[in-house]
Amino acid sequence: MPVCGIAGFVTTRDKTYPTQTLARMTGAIQHRGPDSEGFWTDGCAALGHRRLSIIDVSGGGQPMTNEDESLWVVYNGEIFNHAALRPQLEAAGHRFRTHCDTETILHAYEEHGPKSLQFYRGMFAFALWDKNRRLLFCARDRLGIKPFYYWWDGELFVFGSEIKALLEHPALQARLNQDAVAEYLAFGYGSGEETLFQGVRKLMPGHWLRLDARAGKLVIEKYWDIPHDQTPEKYSEQEWIAECRRRVEETVEMRLMSDVPLGAFLSGGVDSSAITAIARQKTVGADADPHAGLRGEMDDHIRRRALRRFAQRGHVLEHGGRIAIAWLAQQDRAPRLLEARVAQRIRRRRGIGLAPQHEQQAGHADHAVHRRAELVAHVGQELALGAVGRLGDGARLVEFGGT
């Protein structure tokens, strides 16, 4: 899944911050976007971006602006149906300068305002600055696939894809939010907008946020919720099967939008095999490059058979120890550290990966390594570092040809 990073701040008071502040904020999330960085500021707002180039590699740099430079946006994600939205916006008089989905967000907001969110099919978190009206508009996708954190004290608004970016701003200090500790220890995550850091909040899934810098007013609204009042269609069993297949194929095909090579994380299970099969079918002639997890206490025959079925060439990460369990397993976080090995191979080939998870780690070389923070939170830093050493030293990447 594509991974980029955004960060920035808006001040409502007559106070400036060093130009290095924004650079430090984006530098803290460099692993999210190793290809390039971009900055824009007008004295009131400062926007920063770290990019992993997927769409319009040469022309999709951020922060991005509209025709008259009245709107500026930084964005993380993908709008899968941006090409379908483009003709409608062009017919309304908007002029596109790139082929990037980022520009669609700008023109859709110009045309429809916050209602533009209802047209998007995709995963996204973005911050859009209207410099004429001194308004900041931020939004997060319906299911919260892309992260968005913010801090607001009534005069200064700071935001970013990760909390570490916010903490680089001199106005913030890392203080424990004791009210959020109990829930985190009980469930392993926080269900609401609060985080483990005092004052730092999450923009919840399906919500947008608008900051009026002139009035110092912050408004948050929900734009989507799970529908509860729909009556299920009356289909036969075969009709349900056909409809399910149609939707899965449509969903996978939409995610194949890319100007760089595609890959897939393939465990040999039903979900990853289905995704890989459909992706291979929709990209006939392309260099499909599925990847498997660990070889050991799994049915390696099934996985290798799937690889040879779908791949022109494939890679298997091998390890002979007893901790050899699938890195796609949902029950154990430690094997995710090994995804760095596969992600590095994908990254060297300048590609992205597909996986049956809500946030795949194949987008770039380093992101899977940074996911070790999840393990640290559960078993402690010393054990985590020890696990990295044990798994990393013994694992090796084996290539083979497929048919």
Side-chain angles (χ1 to χ4, degrees), residues 137-386:
F137 180 77
C138 308
R140 192 176 177 197
D141 62 73
R142 294 170 179 83
L143 298 181
I145 298 175
K146 292 300 181 180
F148 189 98
Y149 297 94
Y150 69 94
W151 180 89
W152 165 244
D153 69 351
E155 294 182 332
L156 176 67
F157 182 87
V158 186
F159 68 89
S161 296
E162 298 183 24
I163 296 176
K164 59 170 65 73
L166 277 67
L167 296 178
E168 290 296 327
H169 195 285
L172 275 73
Q173 294 185 6
R175 293 193 178 98
L176 178 65
N177 177 14
Q178 296 185 7
D179 293 337
V181 172
E183 183 181 19
Y184 183 81
L185 292 178
F187 302 107
Y189 64 93
S191 60
E193 63 178 2
E194 290 195 13
T195 71
L196 289 172
F197 293 84
Q198 281 187 19
V200 178
R201 296 179 178 273
K202 295 177 286 188
L203 180 61
M204 297 299 287
H207 284 66
W208 60 256
L209 175 155
R210 182 172 59 214
L211 172 65
D212 185 337
R214 287 174 176 162
K217 184 179 180 181
L218 182 71
V219 176
I220 299 176
E221 288 193 13
K222 178 188 291 187
Y223 70 87
W224 184 85
D225 199 355
I226 298 174
H228 301 288
D229 56 353
Q230 292 185 350
T231 303
E233 297 89 345
K234 294 183 179 179
Y235 289 155
S236 67
E237 180 179 350
Q238 292 303 315
E239 289 173 331
W240 276 116
I241 293 173
E243 177 65 10
C244 180
R245 183 184 184 92
R246 183 191 70 79
R247 295 195 182 196
V248 172
E249 289 183 349
E250 178 189 43
T251 300
V252 173
E253 185 172 16
M254 291 181 71
R255 284 155 176 79
L256 299 178
M257 176 184 67
S258 175
D259 292 335
V260 297
L262 286 164
F265 280 115
L266 178 62
S267 68
V270 174
D271 50 0
S272 64
S273 295
I275 290 172
T276 305
I278 295 170
R280 189 73 182 96
Q281 182 185 45
K282 301 296 183 180
T283 55
V284 176
D287 183 16
D289 195 14
H291 290 69
L294 290 172
R295 193 178 99 181
E297 298 176 7
M298 300 174 294
D299 193 338
D300 191 60
H301 170 71
I302 295 177
R303 181 173 53 254
R304 284 183 175 271
R305 185 174 64 180
L307 276 167
R308 290 190 171 90
R309 170 65 178 83
F310 302 132
Q312 292 179 350
R313 48 177 284 152
H315 310 294
V316 179
L317 190 63
E318 294 189 316
H319 193 281
R322 293 189 57 79
I323 49 175
I325 53 179
W327 47 256
L328 286 177
Q330 300 296 319
Q331 295 81 6
D332 199 313
R333 296 171 184 261
R336 291 185 179 179
L337 303 173
L338 291 163
E339 294 179 22
R341 296 276 178 156
V342 180
Q344 286 169 355
R345 174 57 64 104
I346 296 177
R347 183 61 191 153
R348 283 196 293 270
R349 298 186 59 178
R350 297 195 56 78
I352 61 173
L354 304 173
Q357 302 178 19
H358 104 281
E359 186 172 359
Q360 298 97 321
Q361 284 78 255
H364 55 82
D366 299 324
H367 187 56
V369 175
H370 286 269
R371 292 297 296 271
R372 68 173 178 240
E374 295 185 1
L375 180 62
V376 171
H378 283 266
V379 298
Q381 185 174 9
E382 293 183 2
L383 179 57
L385 295 177

